[in-house]
């Protein structure tokens, strides 16, 4: 569920369709741990790929669209960091989008991919996995699902719903940063 279009909400900008389905699941789990049960998330806007988000004036347009929706009080952008230094890319992206809206914007980059956040809760995914900090989540999850194919729009939200957020955040600094950022943005919802 998403907030009614004119109700106060946090606008979401994500990398792709899998993230558009999974991020609200992740954030609602975070909210429920804090006793927040209102629908305060806007419908996610997908950039349809990291390259489109990082292109000149790419992310700016997606953030402007989310911010322009009636009731939007803040915007959260979640992208994969991939091989980039997230400590450098995040502030650079924030600087780019601050010019397109007066709203508070949070930029959260998964250190490598969203699947690394999921994999940080390996033991709770019902995939017979043990966490190994030296491995990347996407490859491990794909291997564990064989002979099934990992289709992000299907599996990403399904596995996200199985996550133990405290366990995962203890293993993933970028997920812990997301938790801090979403709590900050919640302060802008009336």
């Amino acid at each position: 569920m998403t907030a009614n279009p004119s109700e106060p909400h946090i606008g979401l900008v994500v990398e792709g369709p899998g993230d558009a389905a999974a991020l609200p699941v992740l954030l609602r789990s975070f909210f429920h741990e804090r006793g927040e049960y209102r629908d305060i998330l806007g419908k996610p806007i997908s950039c349809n790929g990291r390259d489109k988000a990082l292109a000149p004036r790419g992310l700016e347009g997606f953030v402007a669209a989310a911010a322009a929706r009636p009731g939007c009080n803040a915007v959260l952008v979640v992208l994969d960091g991939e091989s980039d230094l997230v400590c450098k890319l995040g502030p650079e992206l924030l600087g780019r989008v601050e010019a397109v809206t007066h709203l508070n914007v949070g930029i959260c980059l998964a250190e490598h991919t969203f699947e690394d956040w999921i994999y940080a809760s390996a033991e709770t995914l019902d995939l017979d996995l043990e966490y190994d900090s030296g491995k990347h989540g996407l490859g491990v999850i794909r291997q564990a699902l064989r002979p099934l194919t990992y289709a992000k729009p299907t599996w990403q939200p399904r596995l996200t719903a199985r996550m133990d957020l405290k366990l995962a955040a203890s293993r993933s600094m970028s997920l812990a940063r997301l938790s801090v950022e979403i709590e900050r943005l919640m302060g802008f919802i009336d």
Side-chain angles (χ1 to χ4, degrees), residues 80-184:
D80 292 344
E82 294 187 5
S83 59
D84 289 316
L85 292 173
V86 297
C87 61
K88 184 176 179 183
L89 181 59
E92 176 186 311
L93 294 175
L94 184 59
R96 285 175 46 183
V97 300
E98 285 178 332
V100 299
T101 182
H102 68 281
L103 298 179
N104 279 281
V105 177
I107 305 278
C108 291
L109 303 172
E111 285 196 51
H112 206 267
T113 65
F114 193 105
E115 286 80 7
D116 288 307
W117 288 347
I118 296 170
Y119 176 58
S121 183
E123 298 84 353
T124 68
L125 302 178
D126 295 327
L127 295 177
D128 195 30
L129 293 174
E130 288 186 30
Y131 181 71
D132 178 347
S133 63
K135 295 183 178 179
H136 288 296
L138 184 57
V140 173
I141 290 169
R142 281 185 172 152
Q143 182 66 35
L145 287 171
R146 287 191 181 166
L148 300 173
T149 301
Y150 179 69
K152 287 186 178 215
T154 303
W155 282 104
Q156 226 174 324
R158 184 182 297 175
L159 294 175
T160 298
R162 300 176 188 172
M163 289 174 65
D164 177 324
L165 289 181
K166 288 181 182 170
L167 175 63
S170 74
R171 293 173 170 169
S172 170
M173 291 300 296
S174 61
L175 182 58
R177 285 191 301 268
L178 171 66
S179 140
V180 169
E181 191 59 22
I182 195 62
E183 192 156 336
R184 180 184 76 83

Side-chain angles (χ1 to χ4, degrees), residues 47 52-63 96:
C47 298
K52 290 182 181 176
L54 299 183
R57 294 183 300 281
L59 188 59
E60 294 87 337
F62 296 114
V63 168
R96 285 175 46 183

Side-chain angles (χ1 to χ4, degrees), residues 24-45:
V25 173
L26 179 68
L27 295 177
R28 283 188 193 96
S29 294
F30 172 80
F31 294 154
H32 293 173
E33 284 185 353
R34 284 154 179 75
E36 175 61 71
Y37 298 100
R38 297 176 296 161
D39 287 328
I40 59 171
L41 298 175
K43 182 178 179 184
I45 294 175

